[in-house]
């Protein structure tokens, strides 16, 4: 089944060109099934790129997915047009009475700021608490993962001396986990962050389980069954040229490791993580579908 997104969302044209089946609201209404409702809380400045990346991975599922784009209620995006935000995004305050099978919280370029100093920290904490009774499964990404682990478990983030950037080999620590099913023992993941979390800071008795990590960049994926969440510190959703774009934006300050052939920024990178991203997101969608209540009223009960 395809993903259901707004007819005029820019991501639609990109996904259709790639062969991803995208369904209109009219077409979706003709199918006598309950779609999987997933909310995307998009904290990234370039919202259109992130919408497309996440939609691409969700749209590869055999299930019908209805994607709801959500934003922080009182935060004004500086890198995405107000017209796009008004047309396609709902403030969290407008959806807080609704129930969702899944919630995805993206990263944000605020890793070098203390959590409490982030302008929307208080609302994000309310959203995380709200997810406990209005969302069946939550997936957090990069800074969103750091924020959730800090909020729920008090896990601190540690500033890095230099940006961790590149494509790094990760170890699958839990091949039998539903989140890791089918992923190889070693798999590549793009990394792009100024902070890290450390295994030693994961509180004993919290139920947190490390699913994947890297000898070079540390923790990557953490299961959080107490909060029906899984936290991804890195970026399996990235496109082939996302790290190249960040390198150019940062004026060449940090060359992404294991990314450009021969470490030559003029050379075309090879995408070695695309299949891993599709498999991980498919695992998350499948587990959400298999365990969510048929009656959405029962979500979070």
């Amino acid at each position: 089944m395809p993903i259901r997104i707004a007819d005029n969302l820019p991501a639609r044209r990109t996904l259709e060109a790639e062969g991803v089946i995208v369904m209109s609201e009219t077409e979706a209404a003709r199918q006598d099934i309950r779609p999987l409702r997933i909310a995307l809380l998009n904290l990234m400045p370039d919202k259109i790129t992130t919408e497309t990346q996440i939609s691409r991975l969700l749209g590869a599922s055999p299930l019908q997915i209805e994607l709801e784009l959500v934003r922080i209620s009182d935060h004004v995006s500086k890198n995405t047009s107000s017209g796009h935000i008004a047309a396609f995004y709902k403030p969290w305050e407008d959806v807080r009475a609704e129930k969702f099978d899944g919630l995805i919280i993206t990263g944000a370029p605020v890793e070098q700021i203390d959590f409490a100093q982030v302008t929307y920290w208080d609302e994000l904490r309310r959203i995380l608490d709200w997810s406990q009774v209005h969302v069946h499964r939550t997936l957090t990404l990069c800074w969103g993962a750091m924020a959730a682990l800090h909020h729920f478990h008090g896990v601190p983030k540690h500033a890095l001396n230099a940006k961790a950037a590149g494509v790094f080999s990760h170890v699958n620590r839990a091949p039998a986990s539903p989140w890791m099913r089918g992923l190889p023992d070693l798999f590549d993941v793009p990394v792009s962050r100024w902070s890290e979390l450390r295994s030693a800071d994961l509180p004993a008795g919290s139920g947190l389980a490390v699913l994947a990590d890297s000898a070079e960049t540390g923790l990557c994926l953490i299961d959080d069954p107490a909060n029906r969440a899984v936290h991804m510190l890195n970026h399996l959703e990235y496109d082939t040229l996302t790290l190249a774009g960040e390198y150019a934006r940062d004026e060449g300050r940090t060359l992404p490791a294991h990314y450009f052939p021969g470490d030559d920024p003029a050379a075309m990178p090879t995408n070695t993580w695309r299949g891993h991203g599709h498999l991980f997101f498919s695992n998350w969608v499948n587990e959400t579908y298999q365990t969510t209540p048929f009656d959405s009223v029962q979500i979070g009960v």
Side-chain angles (χ1 to χ4, degrees), residues 26-54:
T26 301
E27 292 169 328
R30 287 202 296 263
Q31 293 192 346
D32 189 21
I33 60 175
R34 181 173 91 75
L36 206 60
R37 296 198 71 216
I38 295 178
L40 173 62
L41 179 63
N42 192 350
L43 305 176
M44 291 297 288
D46 182 357
K47 298 196 184 305
I48 294 175
T49 295
T50 303
E51 294 155 15
T52 304
Q53 291 172 344
I54 300 298

Side-chain angles (χ1 to χ4, degrees), residues 102-106 128 131-132 135-142 144-146 148-149 152-153 174 177-180 183 207-212 220-234 236 280-281 283-285 287-288:
L103 168 67
I104 299 173
I105 301 176
T106 73
L128 290 166
S131 72
Q132 300 302 285
V135 175
H136 179 62
R137 297 280 187 195
T138 299
L139 171 61
T140 62
L141 307 175
C142 199
M146 296 180 188
L149 284 162
F152 288 126
H153 300 283
S177 165
W179 318 117
M180 305 301 289
L183 283 163
L208 296 174
V210 176
L211 302 180
C220 172
L221 189 62
I222 300 170
D223 191 13
D224 184 3
N227 296 293
R228 302 188 306 282
V230 61
H231 308 292
M232 165 59 77
L233 295 166
N234 300 321
L236 279 172
F280 171 70
F281 272 78
N283 284 343
W284 182 75
V285 168
E287 185 66 14
T288 300

Side-chain angles (χ1 to χ4, degrees), residues 14 60 72 74 77 84 133 160 172 175 182 185 194 219 221 257 287:
T14 301
I72 293 291
D74 297 324
S77 177
H84 181 86
V133 292
L160 296 171
N172 182 345
D185 294 339
W194 288 94
L219 293 174
L221 189 62
E287 185 66 14

Side-chain angles (χ1 to χ4, degrees), residues 51-273:
E51 294 155 15
T52 304
Q53 291 172 344
I54 300 298
S55 296
R56 175 184 296 116
L57 295 167
L58 295 178
S61 165
L63 305 171
Q64 185 189 131
I65 293 174
E66 178 183 324
L67 187 63
E68 185 76 72
L69 300 178
V70 181
R71 63 174 176 84
I72 293 291
S73 299
D74 297 324
H75 181 72
V76 178
S77 177
K78 297 178 181 178
N79 296 81
T80 303
S81 73
S82 58
H84 181 86
I85 298 295
F88 300 113
Y89 279 79
K90 292 182 180 179
W92 170 67
E93 291 286 353
D94 288 359
V95 303
R96 63 183 302 175
E98 300 179 30
K99 296 286 186 85
F100 293 91
D101 301 291
L103 168 67
I104 299 173
I105 301 176
T106 73
V110 293
E111 293 173 60
Q112 295 173 291
I113 305 174
D114 290 341
F115 290 117
Q117 299 305 310
V118 175
T119 56
Y120 48 81
W121 177 242
D122 288 341
E123 182 169 351
L124 182 58
R125 292 182 65 194
R126 292 195 297 274
I127 292 171
L128 290 166
D129 288 338
W130 165 86
S131 72
Q132 300 302 285
V133 292
H134 286 263
V135 175
H136 179 62
R137 297 280 187 195
T138 299
L139 171 61
T140 62
L141 307 175
C142 199
W143 182 82
M146 296 180 188
L149 284 162
H150 182 70
H151 175 70
F152 288 126
H153 300 283
V155 179
K157 64 181 173 72
H158 300 272
L160 296 171
N161 293 327
K163 185 179 183 180
V167 179
F168 297 89
S169 180
H170 287 71
V171 178
N172 182 345
R173 298 292 181 186
S177 165
W179 318 117
M180 305 301 289
R181 192 175 295 123
L183 283 163
D185 294 339
L186 294 174
F187 61 102
D188 287 345
V189 184
V191 177
S192 179
R193 47 184 165 81
W194 288 94
S195 302
E196 67 176 1
L197 302 187
R198 298 172 181 170
S199 297
D201 293 329
L202 303 182
S206 63
L208 296 174
V210 176
L211 302 180
D213 58 9
S214 165
E216 295 182 82
T217 56
L219 293 174
C220 172
L221 189 62
I222 300 170
D223 191 13
D224 184 3
N227 296 293
R228 302 188 306 282
V230 61
H231 308 292
M232 165 59 77
L233 295 166
N234 300 321
H235 293 283
L236 279 172
E237 80 280 5
Y238 269 12
D239 297 323
T240 302
L241 294 177
T242 302
L243 286 171
E246 293 181 355
Y247 176 70
R249 181 199 65 199
D250 295 340
E251 299 179 338
R253 286 192 291 271
T254 304
L255 183 72
H258 320 301
Y259 177 62
F260 292 114
D263 286 338
D264 178 5
M268 181 67 179
T270 298
N271 190 317
T272 59
W273 64 91

